[in-house]
Amino acid sequence: MSQVIEVKVPDIGDYTDVPVIDICVKVGDVVKVDDALVTLESDKATMDVPSSAAGVVKEVRVQLGDRISEGTVVVVVEASAGAVATPPPVSAAAPVAAAATPAAAPPAPAAASGGGTVEVVVPDIGDYSDVPVIDVCVKVGDTVKVDDALVTLESDKATMDVPSSVAGVIREIRVKLGDKVSAGVVVVLVDSSTAGTLAAAPAAPAAVPAASAPAASAVASAAPAPVPAPAAAPVAAGLPLGSRTHASPSVRLLARELGVDLARVTPSGPKSRIVKEDVTAYVKGVLSAPPAAAAAGASLGGGLDLLPWPKVDFAKFGAVEVKPLARIKKISAQNLARNWVMIPAVTYHEDADITDLEAFRVAMNKENEKSGVKITMLAFLIKACTVALKKFPEFNSSLDGDNLVFKQYFNIGFAADTPNGLVVPVVKNADQKSVLQIAVDSGELARKARDGKLGPADMSGACFTISSVGGIGGTCFSPIVNAPEVAILGVSKSVMKPVWNGSQFEPRLILPMSLSADHRVIDGALATRFNVHVAQLLADMRRVLL
């Protein structure tokens, strides 16, 4: 025989209006005794409200952001007979409330009148011991205030920050991630800056209940509910919206202050936990991301809004075949769309006379035929661009906010055509290599690209990119700048053209070049000079030696 049970918030001391930050179940879910139903959080602690009955969730009575107190009905569970647990009395099995004065709390160490080194210890956390450290919030040299979080502890039902009982500078950290600590364990040594900075020994800001304790009576003063991220903020790859997030109270407080929805943040900590660095990295990503101009209803300014992307049933007009977009193209699509929207690029065209260079290349390949090394025109292009980057350092830079970062190394990327799409391997330190060595390196990278064996290191660190379609055809094109670079050189198919030499036309092999440059860094005059210089180097490679 079944019965309907109203599961309520257990005794949480004298505290009320504690915000609900997560709902762990939905109607229809089957729960066991002690399964988490909702999560509450103050500015110092996070606790789960466990189920006191096993059965099926019939109704969820609270919503995200609701502020609830002891006795508030959380969910209604249809439980079978004998499936209701008897909550242990708070004074016996549940941890000590945050405001309660612990019977045997370790006294706060006293500082000398002129300031001194103070040992900050884990406060009273009830009868529980060996609680793992899941986050160390400070490092040696940090300045802390009273109540600043030092480390975060976590059991299977609650998370708590160990606050500093003194203001000063961290001199030593006595624990590390994964350590298991108990009340009285020294966490850090703090050099107190002035006399009188010691706070009264805090009661446990949040108790760390054992697995058998369904009630956690340790929620401190209420804190505001988490603020969702702005609507335009992109969802980071990682936790989907609405999924349960794992973060310490201090990290959650930081997220609230910055207006970050933790469900959008990709975790990097142990056991998929969100740490402070994840929150700050997410904020930086949002601030540097392009506006969602392609989204439905996005504004173009001047009262002009973009229409939603058209949805068409193509099968109405004839037979169709649907194939998934290749993974490389999916990744490239996001980068290309960002670069196209964010970079005000202008393309400049120039012709390079490579008649003599091509004759030299053919002769060298014939000479090196037995060695198997084949010099490509790409190798000469990489060498010429490297020399040009040294003459025009703006092209070897990247924008970082209001600063321009000039690189002292010369890594050249080149677009490689593969069956799955274009990839951009990088020839590292091209300025230190001969044309022959560049040909060997670029050939090896192109082979790895075709075989799908390029690693991340093979495609990172480029200063400048060359995109050549000369082996296929074309006369000119506008390549898209590959952020954070500021320029890219496109090369089309060389063609024999009549060129006036002052007295007559003569046939010359002409290589069309298309240079796209970020106009925020490179103006038209500088781009044209760069193009002309590269053309001069290709026309007479002896200039590379100068």
Side-chain angles (χ1 to χ4, degrees):
M1 182 177 179
S2 62
Q3 57 180 317
V4 175
I5 305 294
E6 291 184 337
V7 181
K8 302 177 181 180
V9 178
D11 179 11
I12 55 175
D14 297 329
Y15 303 100
T16 59
D17 297 333
V18 184
V20 176
I21 65 164
D22 194 13
I23 298 177
C24 311
V25 295
K26 60 182 183 297
V27 173
D29 282 355
V30 177
V31 295
K32 303 186 295 293
V33 174
D34 285 347
D35 278 358
L37 301 176
V38 300
T39 304
L40 313 181
E41 182 183 65
S42 76
D43 59 343
K44 294 266 190 324
T46 306
M47 67 167 284
D48 290 337
V49 173
S51 180
S52 57
V56 179
V57 176
K58 291 301 182 183
E59 186 180 352
V60 179
R61 292 277 183 90
V62 295
Q63 298 178 348
L64 285 177
D66 283 358
R67 293 173 178 269
I68 61 180
S69 307
E70 178 189 344
T72 300
V73 177
V74 177
V75 301
V76 175
V77 175
E78 183 178 15
S80 55
V84 180
T86 302
V90 173
S91 59
V96 182
T101 303
S113 59
T117 300
V118 178
E119 293 182 338
V120 181
V121 301
V122 177
D124 182 10
I125 52 176
D127 296 329
Y128 305 103
S129 59
D130 296 333
V131 184
V133 176
I134 62 164
D135 192 14
V136 178
C137 309
V138 294
K139 60 183 183 296
V140 173
D142 282 356
T143 300
V144 295
K145 303 186 296 293
V146 174
D147 285 344
D148 278 357
L150 300 176
V151 300
T152 303
L153 313 180
E154 183 182 63
S155 77
D156 59 343
K157 289 212 169 47
T159 307
M160 67 166 284
D161 287 338
V162 173
S164 180
S165 57
V166 63
V169 177
I170 303 293
R171 292 305 181 199
E172 185 180 348
I173 298 175
R174 292 280 183 88
V175 296
K176 60 182 182 298
L177 284 178
D179 283 358
K180 294 187 176 183
V181 300
S182 307
V185 171
V186 177
V187 176
V188 301
L189 299 184
V190 177
D191 184 5
S192 58
S193 54
T194 58
T197 55
L198 284 177
V208 183
S212 62
S217 55
V219 178
S221 55
V227 180
V235 179
L239 294 174
L241 288 178
S243 70
R244 192 173 183 201
T245 58
H246 297 279
S248 68
S250 56
V251 171
R252 292 182 182 277
L253 177 61
L254 175 65
R256 285 196 297 273
E257 291 173 345
L258 297 177
V260 172
D261 181 356
L262 286 176
R264 297 175 181 264
V265 179
T266 303
S268 67
K271 298 181 180 180
S272 297
R273 178 166 296 282
I274 297 172
V275 296
K276 288 182 179 180
E277 289 76 9
D278 298 332
V279 177
T280 55
Y282 173 79
V283 172
K284 289 179 180 178
V286 170
L287 294 177
S288 62
S299 177
L300 288 176
L304 297 177
D305 291 333
L306 293 178
L307 294 174
W309 191 264
K311 292 186 177 297
V312 179
D313 181 7
F314 300 103
K316 291 194 309 182
F317 309 106
V320 298
E321 181 183 4
V322 178
K323 293 183 178 181
L325 198 62
R327 177 178 171 273
I328 289 177
K329 292 185 177 180
K330 286 181 182 179
I331 298 172
S332 299
Q334 299 176 19
N335 292 330
L336 291 170
R338 175 200 61 202
N339 297 346
W340 180 258
V341 171
M342 293 294 291
I343 299 175
V346 180
T347 303
Y348 307 87
H349 302 282
E350 183 67 38
D351 286 343
D353 187 339
I354 60 168
T355 310
D356 297 336
L357 180 60
E358 176 62 13
F360 176 70
R361 187 185 73 85
V362 172
M364 287 296 98
N365 282 340
K366 187 173 183 180
E367 185 177 308
N368 296 324
E369 193 171 7
K370 291 183 179 179
S371 68
V373 178
K374 185 177 181 181
I375 303 176
T376 61
M377 185 57 67
L378 175 64
F380 286 112
L381 282 165
I382 291 175
K383 193 63 177 180
C385 288
T386 301
V387 174
L389 291 177
K390 288 186 175 182
K391 183 176 177 65
F392 301 96
E394 292 86 352
F395 284 81
N396 200 36
S397 68
S398 289
L399 270 176
D400 182 13
D402 293 331
N403 297 322
L404 199 57
V405 180
F406 289 88
K407 300 153 196 170
Q408 306 302 314
Y409 53 90
F410 299 86
N411 299 338
I412 308 298
F414 64 94
D417 188 19
T418 75
N420 294 320
L422 287 176
V423 292
V424 184
V426 180
V427 176
K428 304 292 176 60
N429 300 314
D431 61 315
Q432 302 173 21
K433 297 176 180 178
S434 65
V435 172
L436 194 62
Q437 185 59 51
I438 291 173
V440 172
D441 289 359
S442 59
E444 176 63 18
L445 288 168
R447 184 190 62 77
K448 290 174 67 176
R450 290 190 297 271
D451 295 342
K453 295 182 178 179
L454 283 176
D458 295 324
M459 297 182 286
S460 61
C463 306
F464 184 85
T465 298
I466 298 172
S467 178
S468 175
V469 296
I472 304 172
T475 56
C476 65
F477 65 105
S478 295
I480 298 176
V481 177
N482 186 26
E485 300 162 32
V486 296
I488 181 173
L489 181 66
V491 180
S492 300
K493 183 178 178 61
S494 58
V495 61
M496 196 67 74
K497 289 185 177 181
V499 177
W500 183 255
N501 64 9
S503 58
Q504 62 180 357
F505 286 101
E506 60 177 333
R508 305 295 292 180
L509 187 62
I510 303 300
L511 180 69
M513 301 189 305
S514 305
L515 177 73
S516 291
D518 188 336
H519 212 290
R520 295 172 298 179
V521 179
I522 298 165
D523 59 28
L526 186 60
T528 302
R529 291 189 181 98
F530 181 91
N531 248 355
V532 169
H533 187 62
V534 172
Q536 290 173 342
L537 294 172
L538 294 174
D540 187 354
M541 284 298 290
R542 293 175 299 179
R543 294 174 180 267
V544 171
L545 301 175
L546 300 178

